[in-house]
Amino acid sequence: MKAMPWNWTCLLSHLLMVGMGSSTLLTRQPAPLSQKQRSFVTFRGEPAEGFNHLVVDERTGHIYLGAVNRIYKLSSDLKVLVTHETGPDEDNPKCYPPRIVQTCNEPLTTTNNVNKMLLIDYKENRLIACGSLYQGICKLLRLEDLFKLGEPYHKKEHYLSGVNESGSVFGVIVSYSNLDDKLFIATAVDGKPEYFPTISSRKLTKNSEADGMFAYVFHDEFVASMIKIPSDTFTIIPDFDIYYVYGFSSGNFVYFLTLQPEMVSPPGSTTKEQVYTSKLVRLCKEDTAFNSYVEVPIGCERSGVEYRLLQAAYLSKAGAVLGRTLGVHPDDDLLFTVFSKGQKRKMKSLDESALCIFILKQINDRIKERLQSCYRGEGTLDLAWLKVKDIPCSSALLTIDDNFCGLDMNAPLGVSDMVRGIPVFTEDRDRMTSVIAYVYKNHSLAFVGTKSGKLKKMPGTSLCPTLELQTGPRSHRATVTLELLFSSCSSN
């Protein structure tokens, strides 16, 4: 039977995953209704089950949920079509390699499998579902019925992450018409940099059971398609890690948005304290040696208040109306971001938050300026996670254009000066935790989810009136909105 097409612009709907204690709720508004009439179709998981990730097949509208010990396939009206169990199983996070490869001397206990990454591989019609069991191995499932096509686990390249937290892994697929696709993987390493690179590019073979699945795109004795955090970094910041919040591809580059701890000296003080800095990381898609790695700090300020802790981000287009206001083309990429106030709290962010917009081209221009100055021999590499921060830049006579992908020198590279976003909206009490945006009838719409379970349409970003919907009860836990799909207020 032919699938009905997914109508993105005629659907006034949203999908929210709301963490409520030990249960999880998925809600969707089924049709355009007046504000007083709004109701929601809901889907609840098992009582002890939490939803971790959500992806929507943009061709069919089918919804895939990555949950604890389970993968769901739902219809667009939230009816269960298929389920696939992923756990629990006997495991111990100290077992490396995992016990399914060799005997482990650590005590084994029944362990849940938390979904840490969920991606649709459209080219091969399969779902990539990676969990917390066995050092982060992945299953490749057929989209139609979640039949297991493959589950590579016998090589170290198959263990993507040892962090047993949801949201610690982010993946971006780069697709090619006549070659195997590649998968960029970014993950926290949880103090185990010898086992896990923080960023790497992997092969996505056509055959889900192929020996080369998830192998590094390039690897020899000296160079590989990866970035590893040097072990001596942990002597300066013992709990150092790079926490990945969002990832995407645009043009010739792949980008990840991160939170990173740094040691800084407050004004007027000689002692250092740990803060968290939000940074954008950029790599060339075709750079197999990762010489193009650049990171730039990002943040936002409004009325003298600094918002520096990244909570969420989403890539969208400017649209004609907002594009005119910002002085950019309607098809230019914008990053809609949510930051919370300050820099000192990562896990317990302050409730004050801001929605800010970054013009991606301006970030790329700032990166190009930094590359040009470094290749003139000015400054140092300036990366907080390198123990020796004053490695000098080396001069070289070459032209650096918008698509420069680095050499085996002056890499990896950091940008010192922060790129500031454009503040659109601030919230002082109900912290914003998620954001999504899209263009409808030349207007750019932005919606955010909040800690208390509300969905808000931002004022001044579209034709629609300001909108606020309660999608879940208040809870002492932060609401987690993993995806919002909405439409255009076409009834207005």
Side-chain angles (χ1 to χ4, degrees), residues 368-419:
K368 183 171 72 172
E369 291 172 3
R370 175 68 175 116
L371 285 165
Q372 290 170 339
S373 69
C374 190
Y375 276 84
R376 290 195 298 266
E378 300 172 7
T380 65
L381 299 189
D382 199 23
L383 281 171
W385 48 267
L386 287 178
K387 182 180 179 182
V388 184
K389 291 187 63 176
D390 58 352
I391 299 175
C393 290
S394 301
S395 60
L397 295 176
L398 73 162
T399 300
I400 295 176
D401 59 15
D402 291 343
N403 295 311
F404 180 70
C405 284
L407 302 175
D408 58 352
M409 58 186 291
N410 296 335
L413 182 65
V415 177
S416 300
D417 297 331
M418 183 175 67
V419 176

Side-chain angles (χ1 to χ4, degrees), residues 117-178:
M117 188 178 75
L118 197 66
L119 294 173
I120 293 178
D121 182 355
Y122 286 103
K123 186 176 176 181
E124 302 301 335
N125 288 301
R126 61 193 175 191
L127 190 69
I128 303 173
C130 306
S132 57
L133 282 179
Y134 312 133
Q135 306 295 337
I137 66 171
C138 303
K139 289 187 176 185
L140 297 110
L141 309 175
R142 192 162 55 200
L143 287 177
E144 181 182 3
D145 54 8
L146 299 186
F147 173 78
K148 186 175 78 173
L149 300 170
E151 188 179 18
Y153 62 83
H154 57 283
K155 291 184 175 181
K156 64 180 182 180
E157 289 89 348
H158 298 148
Y159 319 139
L160 299 187
S161 173
V163 180
N164 295 318
E165 296 180 14
S166 172
S168 60
V169 182
F170 220 103
V172 175
I173 295 175
V174 176
S175 190
Y176 301 90
S177 57
N178 55 353

Side-chain angles (χ1 to χ4, degrees), residues 173-230:
I173 295 175
V174 176
S175 190
Y176 301 90
S177 57
N178 55 353
L179 298 171
D180 284 343
D181 292 351
K182 65 175 67 170
L183 172 65
F184 282 79
I185 291 285
T187 176
V189 300
D190 196 26
K192 299 185 283 288
E194 68 276 17
Y195 293 151
F196 305 103
T198 188
I199 295 185
S200 58
S201 60
R202 314 296 188 102
K203 296 177 181 178
L204 276 183
T205 59
K206 183 178 179 65
N207 181 355
S208 297
E209 295 183 315
D211 190 57
M213 178 64 77
F214 299 135
Y216 297 114
V217 171
F218 179 79
H219 193 287
D220 67 13
E221 186 178 356
F222 303 104
V223 179
S225 302
M226 70 172 79
I227 291 285
K228 283 194 171 186
I229 300 171

